[in-house]
Amino acid sequence: MNTSPSDHIPQEAFDWYDEYAHGLMDRRTFMKKLGGLAALGFSMAVLTSALLPNYALAEQVSFNDDDIKATYEEFDSPDGHGKGKGYLATPKNVEGKLPVVLVIHENRGLNPYVKDVARRLAKIGFIAFAPDALFPLGGYPGNDDEGRAMQKTMDRAKIQNDFVAAAHFLKSHANSNGKLGAVGFCFGGYIVNYLAAVDSNLLSAGVPFYGTPASESLRKNIKAPLMIQLGELDKRVNASWPQYEQDLKANNVEYTMHMYKGANHGFHNDSTGRYDKDNAELAWQRTVEFFNKKLS
């Protein structure tokens, strides 16, 4: 792991942030706990800058990169919220059919990091679509705290149906080769697992990053090959893996699980101190190789 200013921050701080980010701890309690570390000599500015996102750090491919075209597209979602909207990134001057990849955000809406992931895929030859679950409420509000609070108020079943509709929308894109991949992070990792389980014929490949599995009753439907990406320090999500693996084996699902040593939940997100450059780059390289193999 590369050294960064966040390396000396106690692991408890990352664990508290994970609880806060997933609704298991309120903001007041989270900040109070950080204040306790500040009293021990840790700078509050260093703590918050390491744990809270700075999206200026997350742009690896510019929104006006000459090799891609990015637009916002709406799609019908009759079993969800009626209409959905997302960020479509395509290679410029598309010729012929290309593999398509759905990019699924965390539990806070379509933030700049996830849009950048879509652009990274378009830059290397995929058509990528990143829906915003918050579209029915006006879309991602510009900061994660508000986005998280908004998504928490929404009907989870309708959100899931919106992502199913988005998957069909992307799969039927005029330049799609008919093979759909999905990559998602945190909540988005769960949605990847859900898409693989809710419809056996929907995905050709799925890469959930630190996402919990679909409900046990659905797992028997999984046919798509999966690449599971987990961080070693992510106790909450990792607790669900043994049973999930058992079910995948029982149903003869092709899968690979990679456990990234010393990595926290969210290690791929380059906008926070949880980012682990070496592990993130390795996980992304594996993801791209997997999609190239399964979607071409």
Side-chain angles (χ1 to χ4, degrees), residues 1-4 6-7 11 14 50 60 113 120 209-210 230-233 259-284:
M1 182 189 298
N2 290 3
T3 302
S4 74
S6 64
D7 286 347
Q11 179 59 37
F14 293 101
Q60 294 188 22
Y113 152 67
R120 294 173 206 175
F209 275 75
Y210 27 85
L230 299 174
E232 182 186 32
L233 303 180
M259 183 70 73
Y260 294 89
K261 187 172 177 58
N264 277 289
H265 183 90
F267 72 85
H268 184 267
N269 186 334
D270 49 357
S271 71
T272 80
R274 298 180 298 168
Y275 176 57
D276 180 333
K277 186 175 187 293
D278 291 343
N279 278 325
E281 289 181 352
L282 175 58
W284 189 245

Side-chain angles (χ1 to χ4, degrees), residues 129-182:
F129 186 56
D132 187 355
L134 301 184
F135 172 67
L137 300 182
Y140 176 71
N143 73 77
D144 280 17
D145 275 352
E146 279 186 54
R148 190 181 299 114
M150 288 167 65
Q151 190 163 324
K152 196 173 181 180
T153 68
M154 299 176 72
D155 184 308
R156 188 180 179 95
K158 284 189 176 183
I159 289 177
Q160 291 176 169
N161 287 337
D162 286 340
F163 280 106
V164 171
H168 285 290
F169 167 78
L170 179 58
K171 195 171 184 176
S172 62
H173 187 281
N175 293 104
S176 166
N177 70 357
K179 292 189 175 182
L180 172 68

Side-chain angles (χ1 to χ4, degrees), residues 18 209-213 228-245 257-260 262-265 267:
D18 186 60
F209 275 75
Y210 27 85
T212 53
I228 314 289
Q229 311 276 34
L230 299 174
E232 182 186 32
L233 303 180
D234 188 4
K235 296 176 183 176
R236 179 181 57 84
V237 170
N238 294 350
S240 66
W241 171 243
Q243 182 60 55
Y244 191 23
E245 180 176 37
M257 188 278 282
H258 296 293
M259 183 70 73
Y260 294 89
N264 277 289
H265 183 90
F267 72 85

